[in-house]
Amino acid sequence: MNLRGVRAIYLFEMARTGRTLLQSIVSNASFGIYFPRFTGTIYEILSAPVSYLEIVIGYVGAAATKSIILGLVVLATSGLLIPLRIAHPAWMIAFLVLTAVSFSLFGFILGLWADGFEKLQVVPLLIITPLTFLGGTFYSINVLPPIWQTVALCNPVVYLISGFRWSFFETADVSVAVSLAMTVLFLAICLATVWWTFKTGYRLKK
């Protein structure tokens, strides 16, 4: 593996955070990969002596790092305002990393798919945000009628939230094993989609 190539992409993306702080926090990997496509510099990256895997590791690694830092800042701020207890710190970190990597991969896919800034915003606005609000973020899905509990289990965000909730409070809507398995499944689907995208050159080659 070309570690110098991975490091160069990673450091470039991390440095961009300081220049475009708001975009880096809000868009993450989607904007990171979309902008080189928009400007045409993606072809320089594709022609460089780095593999597709190394490109993905560089971009997704930087996006996941930003997400983890943001999550830890929110956690630290919460600790200043309310009594904070983490029942299972190791599991909390594990779910944090898995969630950051999974959604960074999803953002990377979105950045490859979008052919305009409008499309870059429509998926988070019309899909991700509703799934988050309907995924048990602010309530337990156990308070819902049985039919809606079944519907809610089709929402992947439910498993992420349930895993986090268990790591903090030892209460969950679904078992931690199921939460972990579904999170890993989501990660695997994103990885497979990225692999297919680079294999076929979809949205990368004209």
Side-chain angles (χ1 to χ4, degrees):
M1 178 176 287
N2 186 348
L3 295 180
R4 293 183 64 183
V6 173
R7 181 175 179 272
I9 295 173
Y10 178 87
L11 292 178
F12 175 82
E13 279 298 294
M14 292 302 294
R16 188 172 61 83
T17 304
R19 301 193 301 269
T20 57
L21 185 60
L22 182 60
Q23 288 177 338
S24 296
I25 291 175
V26 174
S27 302
N28 247 315
S30 57
F31 188 84
I33 190 61
Y34 173 78
F35 194 71
R37 289 181 55 235
F38 177 75
T39 60
T41 56
I42 184 67
Y43 302 110
E44 298 177 7
I45 299 173
L46 292 175
S47 63
V50 290
S51 68
Y52 294 152
L53 175 62
E54 291 157 358
I55 293 173
V56 173
I57 291 175
Y59 277 107
V60 173
T65 301
K66 298 171 193 176
S67 299
I68 291 171
I69 291 172
L70 185 60
L72 293 176
V73 168
V74 172
L75 183 65
T77 304
S78 301
L80 296 175
L81 302 175
I82 59 173
L84 190 62
R85 173 181 172 271
I86 305 175
H88 303 282
W91 279 107
M92 187 275 290
I93 294 297
F95 274 108
L96 177 62
V97 172
L98 280 173
T99 302
V101 173
S102 297
F103 275 93
S104 294
L105 275 169
F106 183 79
F108 189 84
I109 293 168
L110 176 60
L112 292 173
W113 167 77
D115 54 10
F117 286 99
E118 295 80 9
K119 284 188 177 181
L120 204 62
Q121 299 298 328
V122 71
V123 172
L125 181 64
L126 298 182
I127 298 179
I128 302 301
T129 300
L131 287 179
T132 300
F133 279 100
L134 298 174
T137 305
F138 303 107
Y139 58 88
S140 170
I141 65 171
N142 292 327
V143 303
L144 299 174
I147 182 63
W148 288 109
Q149 290 185 34
T150 303
V151 172
L153 291 176
C154 299
N155 182 352
V157 177
V158 167
Y159 303 96
L160 301 175
I161 297 300
S162 183
F164 269 115
R165 184 173 288 137
W166 179 84
S167 70
F168 278 87
F169 308 113
E170 294 187 311
T171 60
D173 294 328
V174 296
S175 72
V176 65
V178 173
S179 294
L180 183 62
M182 293 301 291
T183 303
V184 172
L185 176 62
F186 180 61
L187 176 64
I189 291 172
C190 289
L191 282 171
T193 304
V194 171
W195 173 83
W196 175 83
T197 301
F198 277 103
K199 180 177 172 40
T200 60
Y202 177 74
R203 298 287 193 180
L204 291 173
K205 301 175 182 177
K206 294 182 179 179

